[in-house]
Amino acid sequence: MLSEQILKELLDFVEASGDLRVYDIHKEGTILSDAVYANELEAFIEMHHSSSFSERLFQHIDERGLTDASVYKKAGVDRKLFSKIRSLPDYKPSKRTVVALCLSMKLSEEDTVEMLNAAGFSLSNNDRFDLVIQFCLEKEIHDMDEVNQALYSLGLKPL
């Protein structure tokens, strides 16, 4: 159970992050100019491509000496979904699933951000869900029930 002090700090943290703003990103125009050639694009991708979410997930599991079953059960992830993550290297789970798996392995904030990036997500400072997750990571709160309580306390859907 989260203490009243932690809940107050959570509320202060979220409120201190400022107003939510929405920006229109729909602009016409070409994304790539004619100066960008296919081979340059391929070279760029080759140079900057990193490990997939799946590769990183199983690397963390192995490094920590955990079992697949203990991780997906603690995260509240279905065995079939976890099997899909294992068997399809390019599969991208939902942001909530990534967060739950990271919490179940007690990853640091840095490692969690890295895992989210590998799945194509980030933690932003203008989303209440993201701010709650950031707060919990900063306070090293990895217990799923406590994180869900923090989300629920702000009227957000639990993991």
Side-chain angles (χ1 to χ4, degrees), residues 14-148:
V14 171
E15 288 176 354
S17 296
D19 296 329
L20 299 180
R21 292 190 173 96
V22 178
Y23 296 95
D24 184 10
I25 60 169
H26 302 287
K27 295 181 180 178
E28 291 187 28
T30 58
I31 295 173
L32 296 176
S33 69
D34 292 336
V36 177
Y37 297 101
N39 61 347
E40 288 179 285
L41 183 57
E42 286 295 327
F44 179 86
I45 291 170
E46 183 69 31
M47 186 168 54
H48 292 88
H49 189 271
S50 60
S51 303
S52 71
F53 169 79
S54 178
E55 291 170 332
R56 290 172 192 246
L57 172 66
F58 295 109
Q59 181 181 3
H60 283 295
I61 290 172
D62 292 343
E63 286 173 356
R64 286 162 176 71
L66 303 170
T67 65
D68 291 358
S70 69
V71 170
Y72 71 73
K73 285 178 182 178
K74 193 171 182 181
V77 172
D78 180 66
R79 183 181 55 83
K80 289 180 183 178
L81 174 59
F82 195 82
S83 178
K84 188 184 284 188
I85 294 169
R86 178 174 277 296
S87 60
L88 301 172
D90 291 330
Y91 178 77
K92 302 254 193 279
S94 72
K95 184 175 190 174
R96 289 177 175 277
T97 298
V98 174
V99 169
L101 289 167
C102 291
L103 290 171
S104 74
M105 294 183 290
K106 298 184 178 183
L107 294 186
S108 67
E109 183 175 9
E110 182 181 335
D111 286 339
T112 299
V113 167
E114 184 180 288
M115 291 291 286
L116 284 162
N117 288 338
F121 302 111
S122 65
L123 293 174
S124 74
N125 289 331
N126 66 355
D127 181 86
R128 290 174 69 85
F129 171 84
D130 290 357
L131 290 168
V132 171
I133 299 305
Q134 287 178 52
F135 177 87
C136 289
L137 291 170
E138 284 182 15
K139 297 290 184 180
E140 297 183 7
I141 300 170
H142 295 99
D143 182 87
M144 198 69 63
D145 292 332
E146 290 183 359
V147 173
N148 282 332

Side-chain angles (χ1 to χ4, degrees), residues 3-25:
S3 70
E4 288 294 320
Q5 178 64 28
I6 290 291
L7 288 173
K8 182 184 177 337
E9 287 181 36
L10 170 62
L11 187 59
D12 292 344
F13 181 84
V14 171
E15 288 176 354
S17 296
D19 296 329
L20 299 180
R21 292 190 173 96
V22 178
Y23 296 95
D24 184 10
I25 60 169

